[in-house]
Amino acid sequence: MTGSPIGRSLADSLRWAEEGTDLCARAVDGLEEEQYAEGTTLPGWTRAQLVAHLAANAEALRNLAHWAATGEETPMYSSPEQRNADIEAGASRPPAVLRNLFHEEAGALAADLARLAEEQWVHTIRTAQGREVPASEIPWLRAREVMVHVVDLGTGVSFADLPEDFLHALEADICAKRGKRATDVEGTLAARVGYLAGRTTWGVTGADGSPAPELPPWL
Ligand code: ZN
């Protein structure tokens, strides 16, 4: 394996982004119109807001793909206010329009990424959090969003339904961000990742068997 210190390759990330997008597409297509206004398992978010966020995230990551392809600095969002405004504008659209927007943006991002050449994947870009990373991180950023938010959509997909190799990579990523070690949490892989992502608290304990304290949501 090549690429990142935690052992995920560009090919892995591209595959996970595609698999996660497929899961999201199925979840979004399966929603009845009235379900868009309902809440998700992510506190404070409706399904319409989350689908709008997934569409806007693809659009924002297309800016990074453009940056990698041309060298022209194009950040994900012009500001946090713009990010939030995009979500609200998207969420206020009729469900059928919002569903099409998700498919269009997800497809356009996949096409942009498929066009990047080997030498463009190593170009430095900057994430919305201000981290400078190689463009090869773009599909990983997308994979995280689609895989975690498809669980948040509350249509029946759980962390246990996500690919095992993706869960291992996500666990390593979140542990690094939270300054935790994977061995700090006991439980099945899916339960550990759900916990580390700040989504669930069932099925996990601390390494010494003590109850695991609740973590704030991540992503
Ligand atoms: Zn997100």
Side-chain angles (χ1 to χ4, degrees):
M1 277 194 195
T2 57
S4 92
I6 59 168
R8 58 180 150 74
S9 67
L10 172 59
D12 289 331
S13 296
L14 286 166
R15 174 169 50 84
W16 293 327
E18 189 182 336
E19 288 174 7
T21 299
D22 287 347
L23 284 172
C24 274
R26 250 173 284 156
V28 168
D29 288 346
L31 289 174
E32 302 291 340
E33 294 221 342
E34 60 273 18
Q35 290 182 294
Y36 278 80
E38 292 171 0
T40 63
T41 59
L42 198 57
W45 286 73
T46 64
R47 290 205 179 96
Q49 287 172 321
L50 206 47
V51 175
H53 166 55
L54 284 164
N57 171 260
E59 195 181 357
L61 290 174
R62 292 186 68 202
N63 288 341
L64 297 189
H66 176 83
W67 187 342
T70 64
E72 182 196 344
E73 185 172 329
T74 40
M76 287 181 71
Y77 304 99
S78 57
S79 67
E81 292 73 28
Q82 187 226 328
R83 176 181 180 274
N84 295 335
D86 284 352
I87 292 171
E88 288 315 317
S92 67
R93 294 175 186 218
V97 175
L98 187 50
R99 184 173 61 227
N100 285 341
L101 186 69
F102 166 79
H103 285 294
E104 272 171 32
E105 293 296 345
L109 173 63
D112 285 357
L113 294 180
R115 274 194 294 271
L116 287 183
E118 205 174 331
E119 68 274 14
Q120 293 169 330
W121 284 116
V122 298
H123 283 172
T124 300
I125 48 97
R126 201 170 50 245
T127 69
Q129 288 75 38
R131 280 187 310 127
E132 297 208 326
V133 295
S136 55
E137 285 292 276
I138 301 170
W140 171 246
L141 298 175
R142 184 59 176 171
R144 289 190 327 195
E145 288 290 322
V146 284
M147 292 278 198
V148 173
H149 288 322
V150 75
V151 176
D152 293 332
L153 273 175
T155 59
V157 180
S158 75
F159 281 99
D161 297 315
L162 304 182
E164 192 176 325
D165 55 355
F166 168 78
L167 289 175
H168 279 295
L170 185 61
E171 180 176 47
D173 194 38
I174 305 177
C175 279
K177 299 268 159 46
R178 291 206 191 264
K180 284 188 168 288
R181 290 166 303 166
T183 51
D184 289 345
V185 188
E186 290 282 347
T188 64
L189 176 62
R192 296 199 308 270
V193 173
Y195 169 72
L196 287 164
R199 265 47 177 195
T200 53
T201 51
W202 54 264
V204 289
T205 63
D208 58 359
S210 61
E214 207 169 307
L215 294 175
W218 165 91
L219 264 188

